[in-house]
Amino acid sequence: MTETYDYIVVGSGSAGCVLANRLSADPAIRVCLIEGGGSDRSLRVKVPAGILSLYGNPNFDYCYVGVPQPYLNNRRIPVNRGKALGGSTSINSMVYIRGAAADYDEWAELGCQGWSYADVLPVFKRLECNLLAQDRRFHGTEGELLVDNPRDPNALCHMFVAAGRDAGLPENTDFNAESQFGLGVYNVTQDRGQRFSAFTAFVRPAMSRPNLTVLSGCEARTVVVSGKRAIGVRVRHQGTERVLTASREVVLSAGAINSPQILLESGIGPAGELQRIGIEPVHDLPGVGKNLQDHVDGMITVRSSSTRTLGLSVSNLPRMLAAPFQYVARRKGMLTTNYVEAGGFARTRYAEGVPDIQFHFVPGYRSHRGRLVEYGHGYAIHTCVLRPRSVGEITLSSDASKRQALIDHRFFSDEHDAKVLVEGIKIARSILASQAFDAVRGVEMLPGKDVRSDDEILAYLRAEALTVYHPVGTCKMGTGDMAVVDPRTLKVRGIDGLRVADASIMPKLIGGNTNAPSMMIGQMASDMILRRNVAA
């Protein structure tokens, strides 16, 4: 097997798959795509409802757990990240959201020229194959990424949208157009009711290219640096360690947890911190691992006796038995659900123009005990803080024999986030109080009817709040001392032949799900690389 390539892309998630496709389109460029996980061909991955069997499953999920959070009762928060071809796009909820135009304009204002909404909108459109005849000013139809509606959304999703109108939230049929505000059924990345991951969209069609090598089950350990230039990647593959050489560049697309971890393991990061845990610094870059941001989330869950909701029960047994046949025959029924079929965006009294909270509505019972599957029926609303001010970091454990990433979100370290989420829970409750839900009315299990005041809601959130798995920012682009990559090139500052292209380069967390924005970053990075090749 060839050990030398022109480009080595580490990580087959949202950004890495786009990069591998675009770079290997030139037959003269040898590309190696590395993925630490295995195959994505399981029915658990392909069938949308299989998502419940993926979270916490070590065959598909890295199953990270954060460090104790002092503002969340010292709880350790699970951090699910995809471990398969397709990365987290093989285990996510398939929601297609780009974020608000203002998010990208803020990036530009922070010194990231070339990343304004006017700059990135054409890139989103190039990647997209919109199947919904949505406004061509905002959507593309020639790209590889299929964007569709859920095949068979549950009736409660329409109740949710109707209830929003009673709460002053209009129906929104396109969250990626002029405004995010309002509620609606989410667009999803699916192909006729089947998951359409980044790997499915961008790499599988390119697998026949002789200049593209895909190595699954291949763990990237460190970047090999000679002088101040990256020359390869040290990997563990099929039980052995070896070095893969990159004659041109190494591109880290391993995500906001793994990309900084690999840099730190390689001696690229805050020199003093590295020395204290026994790693010899190769290049002092203080921003590596800093600036961690994520969407902190609170849930309202209602137990209902209505079998119109998704659920596990004797009365629902006929529908459950019919589901596999409906799915195979017509791509309909319960197995098409991604569970968060509807949602939307709202403004609390703390919002500054754009919405500051997002809802993910689940037309099934979310366990009040934290289980993935709970007997019975009901529905739930997840509410998250879209633009958190709390900032955390990724560091490494000091145990050299088994070095691990220490994930510290520092949720609620800025009290503004707690205030926003308390208000968000109150808005979510106002939606559920609408007459639109009367036909399926049930008992609020969490937070519970006795949790009413702001202080009581905040205490509930400290005990129960989690994340919706949108970590970003840990190798941020910019111009200041804490910037890790140059926004014009995404090259790691001070190291030649090394770039980062994934959600970790975001200077600020966008208002929405991070899959589509990460694909956009992969496309931007490939354009930067290929322009350099043409110039050369």
Side-chain angles (χ1 to χ4, degrees):
M1 182 179 64
T2 302
E3 299 285 332
T4 300
Y5 307 90
D6 295 309
Y7 293 93
I8 298 174
V9 179
V10 180
S12 72
S14 306
C17 286
V18 174
L19 269 162
N21 176 292
R22 300 303 191 242
L23 296 178
S24 66
D26 182 344
I29 296 176
R30 296 165 298 166
V31 180
C32 181
L33 177 64
I34 296 173
E35 168 56 46
S39 172
D40 67 335
R41 292 190 177 276
S42 169
L43 283 176
R44 297 180 179 189
V45 174
K46 298 302 181 186
V47 177
I51 188 173
L52 289 185
S53 67
L54 299 175
Y55 288 156
N57 183 332
N59 292 321
F60 300 98
D61 182 359
Y62 280 103
C63 304
Y64 295 126
V65 179
V67 304
Q69 295 296 287
Y71 300 96
L72 298 183
N73 296 352
N74 285 318
R75 289 184 296 120
R76 301 183 70 199
I77 305 300
V79 183
N80 302 116
R81 307 309 297 158
K83 182 184 177 184
L85 292 169
S88 291
T89 70
S90 288
I91 71 167
N92 69 0
S93 295
M94 296 156 276
V95 175
Y96 183 77
I97 294 286
R98 300 173 181 168
D103 295 324
Y104 301 101
D105 290 339
E106 184 180 15
W107 290 7
E109 291 167 4
L110 291 171
C112 300
Q113 298 302 312
W115 292 87
S116 71
Y117 183 65
D119 295 314
V120 302
L121 177 59
V123 181
F124 280 117
K125 292 169 67 175
R126 282 170 59 191
L127 292 166
E128 182 186 11
C129 180
N130 188 280
L131 304 177
L132 301 169
Q134 291 176 316
D135 193 333
R136 293 291 292 273
R137 292 177 299 164
F138 301 98
H139 295 279
T141 58
E142 304 298 324
E144 294 92 339
L145 183 68
L146 299 182
V147 176
D148 203 352
N149 277 331
R151 293 278 290 189
D152 197 7
N154 186 276
L156 266 74
C157 294
H158 303 295
M159 291 184 191
F160 173 75
V161 176
R165 288 192 283 267
D166 292 340
L169 295 166
E171 181 175 6
N172 190 332
T173 59
D174 188 354
F175 295 113
N176 299 301
E178 292 178 298
S179 172
Q180 290 184 312
F181 186 68
L183 307 184
V185 175
Y186 280 136
N187 294 163
V188 291
T189 52
Q190 292 184 5
D191 179 10
R192 294 164 295 175
Q194 183 169 283
R195 178 186 294 276
F196 201 69
S197 71
F199 190 82
T200 305
F202 297 100
V203 178
R204 184 161 285 122
M207 289 289 284
S208 61
R209 295 174 182 172
N211 59 321
L212 174 62
T213 299
V214 178
L215 299 179
S216 60
C218 184
E219 179 188 0
R221 293 294 185 89
T222 60
V223 176
V224 180
V225 179
S226 177
K228 289 292 182 177
R229 181 174 182 82
I231 60 171
V233 180
R234 183 172 287 103
V235 302
R236 183 171 183 82
H237 185 227
Q238 297 178 340
T240 62
E241 290 197 13
R242 65 181 189 276
V243 173
L244 304 178
T245 302
S247 62
R248 295 187 183 181
E249 293 184 7
V250 172
V251 186
L252 297 182
S253 296
I257 308 299
N258 292 100
S259 285
Q261 179 180 11
I262 293 169
L263 289 176
L264 294 170
E265 290 271 21
S266 307
I268 301 170
E273 293 182 18
L274 292 174
Q275 288 172 331
R276 282 194 291 274
I277 61 173
I279 294 177
E280 183 67 28
V282 170
H283 178 59
D284 184 15
L285 199 55
V288 174
K290 311 306 179 185
N291 194 48
L292 174 63
Q293 300 161 56
D294 202 347
H295 290 138
V296 63
D297 176 89
M299 178 181 70
I300 299 173
T301 185
V302 176
R303 187 183 283 281
S304 167
S305 61
S306 174
T307 56
R308 298 174 70 180
T309 70
L310 301 172
L312 178 66
S313 68
V314 173
S315 55
N316 200 36
L317 190 59
R319 191 157 58 131
M320 294 167 60
L321 292 175
F325 301 99
Q326 290 177 307
Y327 186 79
V328 171
R330 299 186 298 124
R331 290 289 196 271
K332 295 283 187 178
M334 295 172 60
L335 293 181
T336 66
T337 186
N338 66 332
Y339 296 101
V340 289
E341 297 174 348
F345 299 82
R347 301 183 186 95
T348 72
R349 59 194 176 100
Y350 300 106
E352 299 174 355
V354 292
D356 57 349
I357 55 172
Q358 181 180 2
F359 302 116
H360 292 86
F361 177 71
V362 182
Y365 186 59
R366 289 303 311 272
S367 173
H368 60 288
R369 292 178 280 204
R371 298 174 180 174
L372 281 176
V373 178
E374 178 87 28
Y375 185 84
H377 290 266
Y379 46 92
I381 297 182
H382 288 269
T383 305
C384 71
V385 178
L386 279 182
R387 294 173 180 83
R389 297 183 184 178
S390 301
V391 177
E393 65 178 356
I394 303 292
T395 56
L396 295 181
S397 67
S398 58
D399 183 0
S401 65
K402 192 177 181 182
R403 194 90 65 185
Q404 295 178 329
L406 303 178
I407 305 168
D408 186 0
H409 288 99
R410 296 180 188 165
F411 285 137
F412 287 0
S413 57
D414 190 309
E415 66 177 9
H416 176 267
D417 298 344
K419 292 178 179 178
V420 169
L421 193 49
V422 167
E423 292 298 311
I425 292 294
K426 291 192 285 187
I427 294 173
R429 272 180 162 165
S430 73
I431 296 171
L432 295 182
S434 166
Q435 291 181 349
F437 279 100
D438 281 353
V440 294
R441 186 71 60 196
V443 178
E444 182 183 292
M445 302 298 290
L446 290 176
K449 63 182 179 62
D450 296 330
V451 177
R452 306 307 304 180
S453 71
D454 286 8
D455 286 344
E456 289 168 340
I457 295 172
L458 178 55
Y460 162 71
L461 293 172
R462 293 194 192 281
E464 298 289 345
L466 296 170
T467 163
V468 283
Y469 316 120
H470 298 153
V472 309
T474 49
C475 299
K476 77 171 184 177
M477 60 179 171
T479 56
D481 291 342
M482 296 301 288
V484 175
V485 299
D486 185 326
R488 298 167 300 174
T489 61
L490 299 187
K491 291 182 177 180
V492 174
R493 296 170 58 199
I495 299 290
D496 291 332
L498 181 61
R499 303 189 202 225
V500 180
D502 55 31
S504 71
I505 64 104
M506 295 184 186
K508 295 289 289 291
L509 178 56
I510 58 97
N513 308 67
T514 50
N515 176 20
S518 297
M519 290 181 179
M520 177 273 292
I521 290 168
Q523 180 67 57
M524 293 281 278
S526 67
D527 289 345
M528 294 169 181
I529 293 170
L530 293 173
R531 276 198 299 269
R532 171 189 174 245
N533 287 344
V534 170

